[in-house]
């Protein structure tokens, strides 16, 4: 009955050494108010100077998002009062943003959707308020940090699409190396404009802006709540108020923050202390050439060069560090078929990372050690079960698989002579399973294989055990 319309505004902290318009450090986690100066505190007479690195980073992101970089761009003052904005205005961009008219394609449920990007503009961040029991404190270290705001057209129609867009956008920005995209540090923040309308209607409904979402999961939950809230209001014949709402991640609900401002409320005017900037085609091409291989290109290359499925390649290229690590492993694994390595990367190794709530590379398992482990397994020197336990020990001790296998005497037993005693014991101790097998219950054989594996502490070659057991039982 209703259709959801969502537009996203993503704020990305650019990874520069100094702030957008002054020389103050951008290092995170320093003593409050230790990284400030007259410029980022807005003292009278201070003059901003644009950070060239931030400017170049913004153009690189714009190019990666298929935007049209403007020939001329300028900065404006966006006037409003916040306790953490000492100047009472923010240097931003209004009518001449750095780039416009881009797009990002997302893949969801086997379909590709084209999300148009309206604009990308540079601005400075505000400070940070810290609310304690009976007082509020302000830290201006964040004042003036370079932000790139990326605004989509209202092309997103569900929380799942918003999640897919954000995930892909974050991946591209990480590949470009222009931001750490750490949401816990506030390096990537998202506001969402949400409205609903009856299916088939042409006019957009009244929108609300949802803020304070500090994770992609939070964005998904907040959008889901807000959509249901708006539908509930319309079904009761009540009006939706255009306003800004805050997401409460503990209560899992949005609440009204303030009436939604329009552009005219900010009384934009050109920043008088900064010139208009000209971006030449030569500059654009120079920056375009510096853009590394992006996730989609890497995915296609992994499929072509390493014979991976789209699913496997998609997991491996999700992060640049993970993709680089995977590629190092592939290079050290002989032969054209890289599937065994891919299986271990997205299987046991990823499980180890998820258990420890970290990235693949944070496990500190070198590509040499991982490929060595897979070689032991592929050559039949250790069983699959043993290989998984060796991997866990590799993560915990940083030892090589060869050292662990030697120390613990884990080499797989594949000769019949070495397995006969364990097989005979398993047969004697499990008469019922033996009888079941002889009655045609094939699962009973696998139970007996398991008993032999237990007796040999998983060192037995399960295929050889199965053959010995079948030989013994079929001819008994």
């Amino acid at each position: 009955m209703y259709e959801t319309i969502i537009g996203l505004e993503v704020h990305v902290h650019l990874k520069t050494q100094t702030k957008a318009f002054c020389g103050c450090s951008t290092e995170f986690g320093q003593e409050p108010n230790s990284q400030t100066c007259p410029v980022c505190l807005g003292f009278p007479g201070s003059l901003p100077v644009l950070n060239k690195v931030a400017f170049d980073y913004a153009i690189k992101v714009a190019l990666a998002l298929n935007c049209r970089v403007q020939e001329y761009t300028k900065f404006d003052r966006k006037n409003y009062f916040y306790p953490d904005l000492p100047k009472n205005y923010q240097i931003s961009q209004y009518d001449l943003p750095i780039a416009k008219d881009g797009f990002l394609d997302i893949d969801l449920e086997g379909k590709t959707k084209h999300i148009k990007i309206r604009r990308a503009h540079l601005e400075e961040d505000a400070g940070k308020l810290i609310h304690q029991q009976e007082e509020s404190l302000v830290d201006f270290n964040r004042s003036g940090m370079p932000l790139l705001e990326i605004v989509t057209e209202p092309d997103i129609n569900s929380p799942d699409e918003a999640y897919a867009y954000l995930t892909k956008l974050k991946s591209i920005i990480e590949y470009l190396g222009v931001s750490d995209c750490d949401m816990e540090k506030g390096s990537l923040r998202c506001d969402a404009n949400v409205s609903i309308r009856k299916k088939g209607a042409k006019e957009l409904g009244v929108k609300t802006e949802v803020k304070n979402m500090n994770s992609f999961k939070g964005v998904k939950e907040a959008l889901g709540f807000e959509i249901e809230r708006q539908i509930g209001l319309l079904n009761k014949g009540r009006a939706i108020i255009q306003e800004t709402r805050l997401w409460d991640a503990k209560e899992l609900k949005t609440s009204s923050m303030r009436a939604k401002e329009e552009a005219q409320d900010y009384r934009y005017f050109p920043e008088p202390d900064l010139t208009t900037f000209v971006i030449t085609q030569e500059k654009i091409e120079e920056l375009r050439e510096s853009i590394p291989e992006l996730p989609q290109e890497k995915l296609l290359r992994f499929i072509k060069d390493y014979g991976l499925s789209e699913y496997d390649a998609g997991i491996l290229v999700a992060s640049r560090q993970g993709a680089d690590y995977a590629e190092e492993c592939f290079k050290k694994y002989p032969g054209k078929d890289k599937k065994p390595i891919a299986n271990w990367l997205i299987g046991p190794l990823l499980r180890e990372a998820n258990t420890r709530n970290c990235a693949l590379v944070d496990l500190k398992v070198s590509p040499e050690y991982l490929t060595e482990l897979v070689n032991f397994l592929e050559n039949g020197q250790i069983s699959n079960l043993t290989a998984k336990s060796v991997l866990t020990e590799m993560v915990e001790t940083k030892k090589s698989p060869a050292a662990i296998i030697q120390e613990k005497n884990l080499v797989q037993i594949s000769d019949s002579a070495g397995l006969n005693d364990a097989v005979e014991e398993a047969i004697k101790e499990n008469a019922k399973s033996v009888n079941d097998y002889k009655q045609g219950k094939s699962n009973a054989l696998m139970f007996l294989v398991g008993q032999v594996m237990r007796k040999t502490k998983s060192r037995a070659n399960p295929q050889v055990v199965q053959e010995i057991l079948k030989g013994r039982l079929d001819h008994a």
Side-chain angles (χ1 to χ4, degrees):
M1 183 176 182
Y2 291 105
E3 180 183 26
T4 301
I5 309 294
I6 300 168
L8 294 177
E9 299 173 5
V10 176
H11 295 81
V12 181
H13 259 180
L14 297 175
K15 196 166 59 178
T16 55
Q17 297 293 312
T18 55
K19 294 184 179 179
F21 301 107
C22 66
C24 289
S25 169
T26 57
E27 189 174 349
F28 181 78
Q30 298 304 298
E31 186 75 14
N33 298 309
S34 63
Q35 299 176 166
T36 59
C37 72
V39 175
C40 56
L41 290 176
F43 283 14
S46 61
L47 292 173
V49 176
L50 178 61
N51 186 321
K52 178 181 178 299
V53 176
F55 195 68
D56 288 353
Y57 281 0
I59 295 173
K60 285 176 76 169
V61 174
L63 292 171
L65 298 176
N66 310 292
C67 291
R68 177 165 54 84
V69 177
Q70 303 268 72
E71 186 177 355
Y72 299 100
T73 187
K74 71 175 175 66
F75 289 86
D76 302 273
R77 289 190 181 182
K78 182 181 181 182
N79 296 278
Y80 60 99
F81 171 77
Y82 277 166
D84 55 0
L85 188 68
K87 300 191 277 200
N88 287 344
Y89 66 84
Q90 176 189 29
I91 300 179
S92 182
Q93 295 193 288
Y94 181 49
D95 55 338
L96 286 176
I98 204 161
K100 298 167 74 174
D101 304 330
F103 68 87
L104 184 61
D105 289 337
I106 59 170
D107 299 313
L108 199 65
E109 298 177 348
K111 294 180 182 173
T112 298
K113 182 159 185 181
H114 191 71
I115 308 292
K116 294 190 288 297
I117 292 170
R118 180 181 297 171
R119 58 186 280 151
H121 66 257
L122 265 177
E123 61 186 21
E124 59 179 343
D125 206 350
K128 183 180 179 184
L129 290 174
I130 302 157
H131 302 291
Q132 299 184 166
Q133 285 183 340
E134 294 183 350
E135 59 189 1
S136 291
L137 307 174
V138 60
D139 179 2
F140 290 116
N141 280 356
R142 206 174 69 182
S143 283
M145 297 274 262
L147 282 181
L148 181 67
E149 182 171 339
I150 302 162
V151 183
T152 74
E153 295 291 348
D155 287 345
I156 298 169
N157 299 111
S158 72
D160 285 337
E161 288 183 9
Y163 187 90
Y165 169 82
L166 291 170
T167 304
K168 191 161 186 181
L169 178 66
K170 178 173 181 275
S171 178
I172 290 172
I173 292 169
E174 282 180 335
Y175 268 69
L176 290 170
V178 301
S179 173
D180 60 23
C181 294
D182 188 335
M183 295 189 84
E184 288 186 2
K185 294 179 184 173
S187 301
L188 189 72
R189 308 199 295 267
C190 174
D191 301 334
N193 289 294
V194 191
S195 65
I196 57 171
R197 65 183 175 193
K198 287 198 171 176
K199 281 187 179 173
K202 291 185 177 175
E203 288 191 8
L204 293 173
V206 177
K207 69 180 177 185
T208 59
E209 183 184 31
V210 184
K211 286 181 172 289
N212 207 37
M213 301 170 290
N214 57 8
S215 69
F216 289 174
K217 178 172 170 282
V219 172
K220 211 170 163 181
E221 291 173 337
L223 290 174
F225 176 88
E226 189 57 20
I227 292 164
E228 291 304 313
R229 187 188 73 84
Q230 292 189 14
I231 291 173
L233 286 173
L234 291 187
N235 285 341
K236 291 174 186 172
R238 294 168 60 184
I240 295 167
I241 299 169
Q242 181 166 324
E243 60 185 350
T244 299
R245 297 181 68 85
L246 283 178
W247 169 244
D248 187 328
K250 290 183 180 173
E251 298 290 330
L252 296 178
K253 66 179 184 180
T254 64
S255 58
S256 181
M257 178 187 181
R258 61 172 184 259
K260 172 68 177 161
E261 296 92 345
E262 298 289 350
Q264 62 266 25
D265 297 324
Y266 292 115
R267 294 168 291 117
Y268 282 98
F269 64 85
E271 166 59 58
D273 294 331
L274 287 168
T275 183
T276 299
F277 293 86
V278 177
I279 307 173
T280 64
Q281 198 58 40
E282 289 76 14
K283 180 70 175 174
I284 292 172
E285 293 310 316
E286 177 191 326
L287 290 169
R288 195 191 304 277
E289 286 178 10
S290 71
I291 292 175
E293 185 180 42
L294 295 176
Q296 185 64 23
E297 298 162 349
K298 198 177 282 285
L299 179 142
L300 295 175
R301 186 169 62 77
F302 273 22
I303 293 171
K304 177 174 173 286
D305 290 358
Y306 302 127
L308 304 184
S309 67
E310 186 172 350
Y311 175 80
D312 289 353
I315 293 173
L316 293 175
V317 306
S319 82
R320 183 176 177 176
Q321 284 185 321
D324 290 346
Y325 176 79
E327 186 136 41
E328 282 300 307
C329 293
F330 293 146
K331 287 177 181 174
K332 295 183 183 304
Y333 190 73
K336 197 169 180 181
D337 182 12
K338 309 298 182 186
K339 182 66 176 166
I341 286 289
N343 286 344
W344 273 78
L345 288 167
I346 65 177
L349 197 69
L350 192 56
R351 273 197 293 278
E352 292 285 347
N354 290 339
T355 301
R356 291 165 173 77
N357 196 26
C358 66
L360 279 184
V361 292
D362 295 331
L363 294 172
K364 307 293 183 193
V365 173
S366 70
E368 290 83 358
Y369 283 0
L370 185 72
T371 50
E372 185 180 313
L373 177 68
V374 176
N375 279 326
F376 273 117
L377 177 63
E378 293 295 306
N379 294 336
Q381 292 166 280
I382 56 174
S383 68
N384 194 53
L385 201 60
T386 299
K388 288 177 183 174
S389 70
V390 171
L391 178 67
T392 301
E393 190 148 346
M394 286 163 60
V395 173
E396 291 170 352
T397 65
K398 312 305 176 200
K399 290 182 179 177
S400 72
I404 295 168
I405 291 167
Q406 185 177 15
E407 283 174 14
K408 300 202 166 185
N409 191 24
L410 297 175
V411 174
Q412 186 165 255
I413 307 168
S414 297
D415 63 296
S416 302
L419 293 170
N420 273 340
D421 288 349
V423 169
E424 288 305 321
E425 284 178 26
I427 290 172
K428 283 181 186 174
E429 292 170 6
N430 297 280
K432 182 176 182 305
S433 296
V434 171
N435 191 49
D436 286 346
Y437 174 74
K438 289 182 176 177
Q439 296 298 318
K441 295 180 180 176
S442 56
N443 284 345
L445 183 69
M446 297 316 296
F447 174 80
L448 292 169
V449 171
Q451 295 306 300
V452 176
M453 295 301 292
R454 185 174 63 79
K455 288 178 181 297
T456 58
K457 297 181 179 176
S458 299
R459 290 179 59 207
N461 183 322
Q463 198 163 353
V464 175
V465 172
Q466 193 171 340
E467 289 168 5
I468 297 172
L469 275 168
K470 282 189 77 173
R472 280 279 288 106
L473 299 178
D474 289 347
H475 300 96

